[in-house]
Amino acid sequence: MKAIVVGGGIGGLAAAVSLRRAGWEVEVRERAAAFGEIGAGVGVMPNAMRALEWMGVDAEIRRLGTPRVSGGVRASDGRWLVHLPDVGQEKVIAMHRADLHGVLLRALPSSVLFNDVEVLSSDELDADLVVAADGINSRLRAEVVPGAPGPEYAGATAWRGVAPGPYDLPISQTLGPGGEAGILPLGDGRVCWYVACVAPAGADLDPVALFADWHDPLPQLVSSTPDVIRHDIYQLPLLPTFVKGRVALLGDAAHAMTPYLGQGACMALEDAVTLAAVGGDLVRYDALRRPRTQSVWKGSRMAGKFGIEMRSPIALALRNFAFRVLPPSLAIQGMTRFSTWEVPQVHSIGSNPAVN
């Protein structure tokens, strides 16, 4: 059985690694001139770690990443709203997105990797299974869901970067009026960070000025970073299916979501392992992945409404009070709600990947 994966990002490479582990012949076709990943940090949540363990690359992830437990949630003035102790929690692995991408890339032989190849239609691909991992602006999505709406602006813009440090900080999220920030420390003293605020798409804004009065060291992290990446936040409206014929949507091509739960890349890793574990059975893949990812999609949107989108002083005060009185056990339960996922039972490669 042969699979062609369209897209060489984290989701596409993970799909290739997973399918090869399950016995498939695999090719990866990437439109860019070279394989690579831009961005800043990624938190490899426990659910994503289980997927990476199934792929057999977890040792390398642990070697390159830094195991951390989230320090919790802070207000923009620095007060802890939820401060979690390092007790009874699975570790989050903090690492650079490029390092995660590199681990997956090195797990594949160069003979299956083809870059500078643009795929316009699945009709041009000779394979039993086509994995559309071509991102939020997927060209193959229209074959699966004709007339599907395209990405929609989620109402906020974000900046990301890696501050040189050295710093010794916990993982944390900061919530303020109409904005939020996150800190993801790496093991070498550098810090991956992001800041985001409610704004019109394409607005001309200066993150240094916007977050100058937020708690330390956020202003220093932003101002000391040489290469800051800015992007408006888009999401993909919920789709009625992820599969059609021999084509399966995966990652952002299927369920691009807002970043407020930090689960976007983790969902792509889950997708990849599930597709391989069910033996390419696309009916089962869709039945397993669509409810799961759309639940996380909705959870992330809800997190945005109680986080970055909240600007009323009264609403902010009530939210912050609710955080402060929340028992740590309930806080942990809320933060780990979406990380309790297990790899589905493995099916044989002989199952038919096509959906009639």
Side-chain angles (χ1 to χ4, degrees):
M1 303 291 285
K2 180 178 180 179
I4 293 180
V5 179
V6 181
I10 288 173
L13 294 184
V17 173
S18 300
L19 288 166
R20 288 188 80 247
R21 184 185 184 279
W24 290 72
E25 177 188 352
V26 175
E27 290 181 7
V28 181
R29 302 193 181 183
E30 165 59 41
R31 65 185 296 185
F35 285 90
E37 178 73 15
I38 62 172
V42 59
V44 181
M45 305 294 184
N47 52 311
M49 201 63 206
R50 285 188 278 275
L52 292 161
E53 288 169 355
W54 193 92
M55 295 180 215
V57 298
D58 53 302
E60 185 74 353
I61 295 294
R62 291 189 175 92
R63 185 182 71 82
L64 293 173
T66 307
R68 302 252 180 183
V69 172
S70 175
V73 182
R74 306 175 79 169
S76 57
D77 61 6
R79 289 174 300 153
W80 286 102
L81 303 178
V82 179
H83 197 184
L84 301 179
D86 186 0
V87 177
Q89 300 177 71
E90 292 185 90
K91 299 287 187 180
V92 176
I93 304 293
M95 63 191 310
H96 199 288
R97 291 183 68 92
D99 289 337
L100 173 57
H101 185 271
V103 169
L104 297 169
L105 189 65
R106 290 190 294 274
L108 294 166
S110 59
S111 59
V112 309
L113 302 171
F114 300 88
N115 57 283
D116 207 14
V117 178
E118 188 166 21
V119 176
L120 301 178
S121 169
S122 65
D123 293 338
E124 62 193 79
L125 303 176
D126 182 16
D128 302 287
L129 171 64
V130 175
V131 182
D134 49 344
I136 189 171
N137 295 308
S138 169
R139 294 191 177 189
L140 298 185
R141 186 167 54 236
E143 296 185 18
V144 177
V145 186
E152 61 185 18
Y153 184 54
T157 192
W159 296 264
R160 302 173 187 272
V162 181
Y167 293 92
D168 183 17
L169 301 167
I171 293 177
S172 65
Q173 180 186 27
T174 300
L175 303 178
E180 76 166 46
I183 291 175
L184 189 69
L186 301 179
D188 58 5
R190 294 180 301 158
V191 174
C192 295
W193 58 266
Y194 79 90
V195 293
C197 69
V198 175
D204 183 14
L205 300 169
D206 177 10
V208 175
L210 284 171
F211 294 90
D213 60 349
W214 285 41
H215 69 80
D216 292 333
L218 281 171
Q220 297 95 311
L221 294 177
V222 178
S223 62
S224 67
T225 299
D227 299 308
V228 176
I229 302 167
R230 181 261 172 90
H231 66 275
D232 291 332
I233 297 174
Y234 282 80
Q235 63 187 6
L236 190 68
L238 301 182
L239 299 180
T241 183
F242 290 171
V243 300
K244 184 178 182 181
R246 60 187 179 134
V247 181
L249 300 175
L250 183 145
D252 282 352
H255 48 68
M257 61 187 67
T258 56
Y260 307 127
L261 291 178
Q263 282 282 356
C266 300
M267 289 297 104
L269 296 172
E270 285 188 17
D271 290 348
V273 166
T274 300
L275 183 60
V278 301
D281 181 342
L282 296 196
V283 172
R284 188 160 184 236
Y285 170 77
D286 185 60
L288 288 171
R289 296 310 302 158
R290 192 155 43 87
R292 162 74 171 161
T293 56
Q294 292 182 352
S295 174
V296 177
W297 188 101
K298 293 174 184 176
S300 189
R301 284 295 298 142
M302 186 60 65
K305 292 184 182 299
F306 284 95
I308 191 172
E309 296 176 22
M310 194 167 285
R311 287 183 279 187
S312 161
I314 295 176
L316 287 167
L318 290 173
R319 181 200 63 194
N320 292 352
F321 174 77
F323 268 119
R324 287 195 296 270
V325 301
L326 189 68
S329 60
L330 290 181
I332 292 172
Q333 181 179 350
M335 291 182 177
T336 60
R337 173 187 171 192
F338 294 111
S339 64
T340 54
W341 171 86
E342 299 293 338
V343 178
Q345 183 179 354
V346 177
H347 278 203
S348 68
I349 190 174
S351 60
N352 184 2
V355 176
N356 295 322

